């Protein structure tokens, strides 16, 4: 007798193979679910070429994975011009998804619904509107804030952004996030802070959306630092900073820590509004000869840089997850970070935590100096190979529970 696999409906605003972390995570979760489930994914048309090509190359995957593409009207798409427009578009897209999901569920009921990517905990979950559908909500993130004593390291623009973010997202989290959490059979939090925020939900687990493929091709057998042929002092140890140059990423903290740590150089990969400020700060601290701003570079080049460094300096103040930290840990590089958000979790055994009380810069400098003699260990904690067991467990919990009788309004 042919085995009947449970049916899963996946909402993934971003989903497809490639270098975009959010889309790659959606694709990894969908593929993992398809190992032992019949999976129907709803995503957007922009991912169709990559997804259709991947399914054509893998007929076995295509037997268990169906992908449907949903977008709003051409008129609304034409108005989606700025990066910030993604938020109003996403809200409307979730409404359209809720209608389509309800149609599919009524025609042939699903066993589980899974809201996967772009799952901010202050934005709506369309699957939560579908009656009698047990929903796995997440991984979701967002409920993290910068400690007051670190606000000065954000800069004026960064502090204003954080204030505005808090004012806007708090009521939306209470309206949409808490509603989705109450409706969900399982809340999957990106980190412990988010888990605490939704602790009153029926079932909460912590599981970031990291989904790393094999990075062994980027591993180097020797550190970046090599002794000179004449036996003189080796060249500086190399730290890398990877991320958008925004206040919340902690670029100011990284440069200040570098200034207190002789024998190190810092390579910065990323761009953003804070770049000119960071360049001027490096000049004032007298470390321009020890810092290189590479700008935005291809992912493969960045991974090579991480593999060849001695440490990652990543003092982000509220990253929900932080894939860069997971990649550094997978490559066996220590990650100097703050005990905030999801970065320590992603760095795992290679996290080198700097305290946030007192002299924060001094704490970071100490951890960076220690990394010279305490190298990291390669970790496969966030490999895609873990995901089939993860989704099996999440869907099992969802199917064993009872979804709310009434659908939640978006």
């Amino acid at each position: 007798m042919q085995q009947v696999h449970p049916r899963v409906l996946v909402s993934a605003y971003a989903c497809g193979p490639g270098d975009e972390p959010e889309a790659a995570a959606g694709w990894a979760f969908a593929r993992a679910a398809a190992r032992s489930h019949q999976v129907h994914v709803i995503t957007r048309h922009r991912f169709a070429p990559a997804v259709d090509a991947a399914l054509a190359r893998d007929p076995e995957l295509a037997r268990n994975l169906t992908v449907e593409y949903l977008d709003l009207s051409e008129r609304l798409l034409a108005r989606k011009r700025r990066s910030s427009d993604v938020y109003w578009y996403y809200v409307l897209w979730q409404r359209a998804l809720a209608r389509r999901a309800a149609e599919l569920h009524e025609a042939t009921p699903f066993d589980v619904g899974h809201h996967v990517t772009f799952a901010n905990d202050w934005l709506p979950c369309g699957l939560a509107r579908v009656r009698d559908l047990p929903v796995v909500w997440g991984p979701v993130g967002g409920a993290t804030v910068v400690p007051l004593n670190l606000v000065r390291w954000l800069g004026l623009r960064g502090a204003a952004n954080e204030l505005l973010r808090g004012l806007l997202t708090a009521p939306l989290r209470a309206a949409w996030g808490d509603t989705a959490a109450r409706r969900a059979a399982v809340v999957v939090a990106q980190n412990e802070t988010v888990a605490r925020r939704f602790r009153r939900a029926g079932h909460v687990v912590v599981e970031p959306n990291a989904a790393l493929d094999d990075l062994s091709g980027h591993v180097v057998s020797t550190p970046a630092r090599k002794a000179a042929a004449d036996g003189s002092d080796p060249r500086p140890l190399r730290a890398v900073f990877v991320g958008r140059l925004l206040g919340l990423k902690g670029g100011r903290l990284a440069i200040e820590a570098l200034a207190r740590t002789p024998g190190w150089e810092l390579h910065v990969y990323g761009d953003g509004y804070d770049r000119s400020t960071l360049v001027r700060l490096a000049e004032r601290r007298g470390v321009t000869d020890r810092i290189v701003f590479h700008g935005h570079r291809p992912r493969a080049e960045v991974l090579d840089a991480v593999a060849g460094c001695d440490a990652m300096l990543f003092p982000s103040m509220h990253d929900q997850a932080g894939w860069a930290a997971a990649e550094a840990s997978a490559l066996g590089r220590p990650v100097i970070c703050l005990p905030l958000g999801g970065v320590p979790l992603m760095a795992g055994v290679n996290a080198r935590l700097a305290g946030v009380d007192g002299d924060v810069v001094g704490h970071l400098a100490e951890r960076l100096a220690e990394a010279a003699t305490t190298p990291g260990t390669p970790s496969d904690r966030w490999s895609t190979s873990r995901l089939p067991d993860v989704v099996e467990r999440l869907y099992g919990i969802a199917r064993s529970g009872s979804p709310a009788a009434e659908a939640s309004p978006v």
Side-chain angles (χ1 to χ4, degrees), residues 289-302:
D289 61 332
R290 294 199 284 132
I291 186 168
V292 181
F293 291 90
H294 294 270
H296 181 75
R297 304 302 302 162
R299 182 170 181 265
E301 181 179 330
V302 175

Side-chain angles (χ1 to χ4, degrees), residues 88-159:
W88 64 257
Y89 186 88
Y90 179 82
V91 171
L92 297 178
W93 190 83
Q94 285 294 328
R95 288 180 179 272
L97 177 134
R99 292 191 293 269
R100 179 57 181 154
E103 293 172 358
L104 292 169
H105 187 54
E106 183 176 359
T108 308
F110 290 90
D111 297 286
V112 178
H114 190 179
H115 179 94
V116 182
T117 57
F118 210 79
N120 289 305
D121 60 20
W122 52 273
L123 288 172
C125 170
L127 292 182
R129 300 183 65 193
V130 181
R131 290 179 180 273
D132 301 320
L133 178 66
V135 173
V136 175
W137 183 46
V140 293
T144 54
V145 297
V146 176
L148 287 177
N149 66 308
L150 297 185
V151 169
R152 69 189 184 96
W153 297 106
L154 293 169
L156 184 59
R157 180 171 176 177

